[in-house]
Amino acid sequence: MSKNGGDSLKKFLTLIILLGIAIFILTNAELFTLVWKSDLESVIGILKENLSLTFLVTFVLMFVQNSFTIIPLILLLTINVTIFGFLYGYLWSWFSSVVASGLIFYAARNWFQDLLLKKLDKKWQESVVEHGFMYVFTGRVFPLIPTSLINLAAGVSSVTFKDFLVATTLGNLIYFFFLSLIPYGLLTVEMNQYTLAALALLFLLFFVIYKRVKKKKNQRIFRKNR
């Protein structure tokens, strides 16, 4: 299959997935309205009666959160850990967030990259490519930038999908763990300073590992080209 043919197939498949999600939301508008109103008791009561529906709804909610960040992430984690328990709720939230982020990344890359790259500064593009992993990872662990913007910015840039996926997987694994503790009352406002300190230490650890791996990779490339 030619490159153009492969790109067209990716665009088509991405469009089908997006349309499917949109149709699912429209056919379950009442349930998603309850989520929008933060009526957790009603939402959890409905979802507990149908496990398959629970997986679909919580995944679509995570997709919406990664697309527009109009639903608080803590709300989704509260639903998941309440229904599935702490461990499985945490793991499902993490897994669904990674898949949803990947879909948004592909949608942005296949539909908007060519258009937006022409309007972006070349130096910014080079910087994002060079520090792609840390750019995404930092945004996941320290959510000062909305999740949706990270996904879209990475998608329209030249960040490799591998770097994006690994950074998202590791970053969300850390951040979601702390968020999952809140519904159980194991993390409170008073503990925020300790949470931030722990996140800072974890960030520093991954940063050191990343720099060492990158240094060794550059050394191998240098020796190979000599």
Side-chain angles (χ1 to χ4, degrees), residues 75-133:
L75 185 70
L76 304 188
L77 268 79
T78 299
I79 293 173
N80 286 337
V81 299
T82 300
I83 295 176
F84 300 116
F86 174 78
L87 179 60
Y88 293 115
Y90 158 62
L91 291 176
W92 172 243
S93 298
W94 165 70
F95 175 77
S96 60
S97 71
V98 173
V99 175
S101 295
L103 287 174
I104 299 301
F105 177 95
Y106 263 114
R109 178 147 297 183
N110 288 314
W111 287 97
F112 306 111
Q113 186 183 41
D114 292 340
L115 174 65
L116 294 179
L117 276 181
K118 297 176 182 178
K119 301 181 179 180
L120 295 176
D121 183 77
K122 293 294 183 182
K123 291 184 178 180
W124 179 86
Q125 293 180 39
E126 293 172 359
S127 176
V128 173
V129 173
E130 182 180 357
H131 306 289
F133 176 89

Side-chain angles (χ1 to χ4, degrees), residues 203-218:
F203 171 76
L204 180 61
L205 174 62
F206 278 105
F207 179 75
V208 171
I209 293 173
Y210 168 76
K211 295 297 289 185
R212 288 188 176 182
V213 170
K214 185 176 180 181
K215 183 178 180 181
K216 289 182 179 180
K217 181 179 179 180
N218 291 336

Side-chain angles (χ1 to χ4, degrees), residues 18 21 25 32 35-36 56-80 92-105 139-140 143-152 164 168 172 175-176 179:
L18 295 178
I21 290 174
I25 292 174
F32 284 96
V35 175
W36 177 260
L56 281 172
V57 169
T58 52
F59 174 77
V60 171
L61 287 172
M62 189 63 74
F63 179 86
V64 172
Q65 201 278 336
N66 276 272
S67 302
F68 306 106
T69 318
I70 57 176
I71 302 173
L73 185 58
I74 183 60
L75 185 70
L76 304 188
L77 268 79
T78 299
I79 293 173
N80 286 337
W92 172 243
S93 298
W94 165 70
F95 175 77
S96 60
S97 71
V98 173
V99 175
S101 295
L103 287 174
I104 299 301
F105 177 95
R140 300 304 190 196
L144 301 177
I145 303 173
T147 301
S148 55
L149 291 183
I150 296 174
N151 296 334
L152 293 172
F164 174 82
T168 297
N172 284 1
Y175 184 61
F176 278 38
L179 282 186

